[in-house]
Amino acid sequence: MRTGGIARVLILGGGYGGLMAARLLERHVDRDLEVTVVDPNTYMTYQPLLPEVAGGHVAPRDVTVPLGRTLRRSRVLQASVTGVDSAAKSVALRTADGTDTTLGYDELIVALGAISRVFPTPGLEEHGIGFKTVEEAAFLHDHVIEQVERAAGTDDPAERAKALTFLVVGGGYTGVEGLSELADLSVRAVAQHANLSRGDLRWVLVEALDRVAPEVGPELSKWTLGHLRDKGIDVRLETTVKSVEDAVVELSTGERFPAGTVVWTAGVQPNPVLDATDLPRGPKGHLMADATLRVVREDGTPVEGVWAVGDVAQIPDLTAASQPAYYPPNAQNAMRQGPVAARNVLADLAGREPEEYRHVSLGTVASYGIGDGAANIKGVRLKGVPAWLAHRSYHLLALPTTGRKARVLLGWIAEAIAGRELVALPSARHPKRAFHGSFAALAAATKRKSS
C-alpha cells in the first residue's frame, strides 16, 4: 500500500496478459498512477490465428495489435528484460538501440510469455522452423509454396520428393491446426502445376504421445486421428525425431527420409529471461504464484508487489475437482488473468485484499482448414463445419480491438469471393537484395568502360 507519490506500475510483456492488464489500468491512469509496458516488439500477436496466417486466410499484420496505438495512456517501451531485482524493486532493460537502463517500480506484472520448447536434436536448429510467432507463420506460408514451385521446376525425382516431403513434429491441437492448413495450402499450390499431382505430396506428423490433439478430449482426439489419416497424413504416434541433419529425418523407429520442411510444434517453455531474475520458480521453470496471481516463494510468502500471468506463470486452478491443479498455458486464461492482475495491483496500492483468479474452461475449439475442425464446448462435441464456425466465431470475438476484428472478417469475405492468394514473396525476407544488385551492375558497367 502506498501512502503518497506517483505509483509506478511496470508490465513486462505486451502479449495477451500484459495487454489486457494495461488496458484496464489505463482507466485509472492519472497524476497518481503511471503505467509502463515493456516488450521487444511494438505489437501483440493473437497467436490462435497463426494457423490461418500460415494457410493464407488472414494477413500477418491483421493478427497483430499495435501496442502504442492501443495503449494511449501508457508508456510503451520497446526493450528486452535483462534482469529483475525484486528486493530493490527494479528491472534492468536493454532498449531497441542497445542502451542498457534500469526502471524502478511499485507494482510489477510479469507477462513475458513462452518460447518454443526445443531439444538438442542434431540438425534441428539449422533445418527446423518454429510455429510460435507471426513471422514464422508468414514464412511457412511462403516456404510451402516455394517448395512446391521448386519441385515443379526440377526433373530430378529425388529432389522433387524431398521438396514435397513435409514433417511436422508435435501433435497438440496447435500442431494439428498448423499441419491441416499447410497441407491444404500445398494441395492448392500443386494444383497450379501440370507436372505435379496431389499424390506427390507427403505430409508426416510425429507425436511422442499415443494420441493427437488431446486438448479436445478423448473422443474428438480419436476422431481427429482418423480424420488426418483419411486425408492422407502419415501420422506416427509414440515416435520421436532423433535427427534432421542434412535435411534427412531420422525417427526413433529407425526410419530415415529426406524432407525439405521440418515444422516444430513440440510445446513451449517459460521465457528464459526468467533465469536473469531473482523471482521464485516452479519445477518446470514457471514463476510460482498463488490464486491471486501474486508471485510467492516456496514457503508461500509473497514477493512484494510482483504478479504473474499467462504462459510464464504456474497458477493454481481452484475450480478443478482434483487438486493440486494448474491452469494450462493458453490464450483463454492469459486474457482473463490480465484484468484480474490489474485489479489486484489497484487493490494492493489501496491496501485492499486481492481477488482470486477462478475460471472454468469454456472448452477448446480447433480449426483443421476451411469448413473443418473439432470443438468441445462445455461438454458439447462438434465436428466439421459446426466446429469450424465455432472456432472462427470465438476467435473473431476474442481478437482485441474493433479494427482488427474488421480486418480479419473482411479478409475472410474477400477470400470467399476471390479465392485464396497463392503467391510467395521470398524476396521480402531480403528486401535490399535487388537494390544491392543494381550497384553490382553499376560496378560491372564501370569496369567494362574503364577497360
Side-chain angles (χ1 to χ4, degrees):
M1 176 180 178
R2 287 183 59 82
T3 58
I6 296 176
R8 302 161 300 170
V9 180
L10 184 56
I11 301 174
L12 305 182
Y16 310 112
L19 176 64
M20 295 306 169
R23 290 181 75 176
L24 188 147
L25 286 169
E26 281 200 322
R27 304 174 194 169
H28 302 271
V29 168
D30 54 25
R31 62 185 180 183
D32 296 324
L33 178 68
E34 64 178 28
V35 177
T36 301
V37 178
V38 175
D39 197 282
N41 296 314
T42 58
Y43 55 86
M44 170 262 196
T45 300
Y46 189 73
Q47 292 177 336
L49 287 181
L50 291 186
E52 295 230 3
V53 172
H57 311 299
V58 177
R61 286 179 176 82
D62 291 346
V63 300
T64 63
V65 179
L67 296 175
R69 182 177 176 182
T70 306
L71 302 174
R72 297 294 182 91
R73 304 189 69 192
S74 300
R75 178 191 180 196
V76 177
L77 181 60
Q78 187 179 9
S80 300
V81 177
T82 57
V84 174
D85 185 340
S86 61
K89 287 198 165 186
S90 67
V91 175
L93 304 171
R94 180 162 295 148
T95 60
D97 63 2
T99 302
D100 291 321
T101 187
T102 301
L103 289 182
Y105 66 84
D106 296 298
E107 300 282 342
L108 178 68
I109 299 176
V110 184
L112 290 167
I115 63 170
S116 295
R117 180 185 61 186
V118 295
F119 305 103
T121 304
L124 179 60
E125 185 175 359
E126 294 78 15
H127 300 288
I129 306 167
F131 199 69
K132 188 74 172 62
T133 69
V134 66
E135 293 84 0
E136 289 170 331
F139 173 84
L140 279 168
H141 173 269
D142 285 3
H143 176 77
V144 167
I145 296 174
E146 288 178 69
Q147 289 297 105
V148 171
E149 291 174 346
R150 181 171 299 171
T154 182
D155 294 324
D156 185 332
E159 283 300 312
R160 176 176 291 185
K162 177 181 176 181
L164 295 181
T165 299
F166 303 86
L167 172 71
V168 176
V169 184
Y173 81 95
T174 298
V176 174
E177 283 188 318
L179 163 69
S180 299
E181 288 286 4
L182 291 170
D184 184 51
L185 177 67
S186 68
V187 169
R188 292 173 181 270
V190 159
Q192 297 188 123
H193 300 278
N195 64 332
L196 298 179
S197 70
R198 183 170 183 169
D200 295 326
L201 291 166
R202 183 186 183 190
W203 281 88
V204 182
L205 174 62
V206 170
E207 169 53 49
L209 299 179
D210 60 356
R211 58 196 181 279
V212 296
E215 299 89 344
V216 297
E219 182 180 319
L220 287 175
S221 171
K222 183 178 180 180
W223 175 83
T224 298
L225 175 61
H227 186 64
L228 290 174
R229 286 174 168 164
D230 288 345
K231 292 173 66 173
I233 308 299
D234 183 1
V235 182
R236 309 295 186 89
L237 299 178
E238 299 181 275
T239 304
T240 58
V241 175
K242 293 300 184 183
S243 171
V244 290
E245 282 189 301
D246 301 321
V248 175
V249 177
E250 180 182 352
L251 302 180
S252 56
T253 58
E255 183 181 357
R256 291 168 56 89
F257 56 88
T261 305
V262 178
V263 184
W264 189 266
T265 66
V268 297
Q269 60 183 349
N271 196 317
V273 75
L274 293 179
D275 294 339
T277 76
D278 63 356
L279 300 174
R281 312 276 291 279
K284 294 185 178 180
H286 301 79
L287 292 180
M288 295 177 63
D290 63 18
T292 69
L293 310 180
R294 189 190 295 274
V295 174
V296 295
R297 300 179 179 87
E298 191 171 356
D299 62 3
T301 59
V303 178
E304 184 181 357
V306 182
W307 314 81
V309 300
D311 295 359
V312 79
Q314 180 178 283
I315 309 296
D317 180 1
L318 302 183
T319 69
S322 178
Q323 294 292 331
Y326 300 92
Y327 286 103
N330 57 33
Q332 185 180 144
N333 282 301
M335 296 179 76
R336 288 167 173 80
Q337 289 167 0
V340 173
R343 289 194 294 270
N344 285 345
V345 161
L346 295 172
D348 198 41
L349 290 171
R352 301 191 307 269
E353 287 298 313
E355 65 180 272
E356 293 179 338
Y357 175 71
R358 292 173 181 263
H359 172 65
V360 179
S361 175
L362 303 175
T364 304
V365 289
S367 170
Y368 300 156
I370 294 294
D372 202 1
N376 189 336
I377 304 172
K378 293 289 188 180
V380 178
R381 291 180 286 274
L382 303 174
K383 306 172 185 175
V385 174
W388 175 73
L389 290 174
H391 175 274
R392 283 203 162 181
S393 299
Y394 173 79
H395 288 301
L396 188 64
L397 290 172
L399 184 65
T401 80
T402 302
R404 284 304 183 263
K405 296 179 197 292
R407 286 179 178 274
V408 168
L409 180 58
L410 290 173
W412 287 339
I413 294 172
E415 180 188 16
I417 296 173
R420 194 185 317 194
E421 189 58 73
L422 294 173
V423 175
L425 297 175
S427 59
R429 297 193 290 276
H430 308 283
K432 298 186 70 173
R433 181 176 291 170
F435 193 57
H436 288 164
S438 298
F439 282 95
L442 174 63
T446 301
K447 184 178 181 180
R448 286 196 303 270
K449 287 181 181 180
S450 63
S451 59

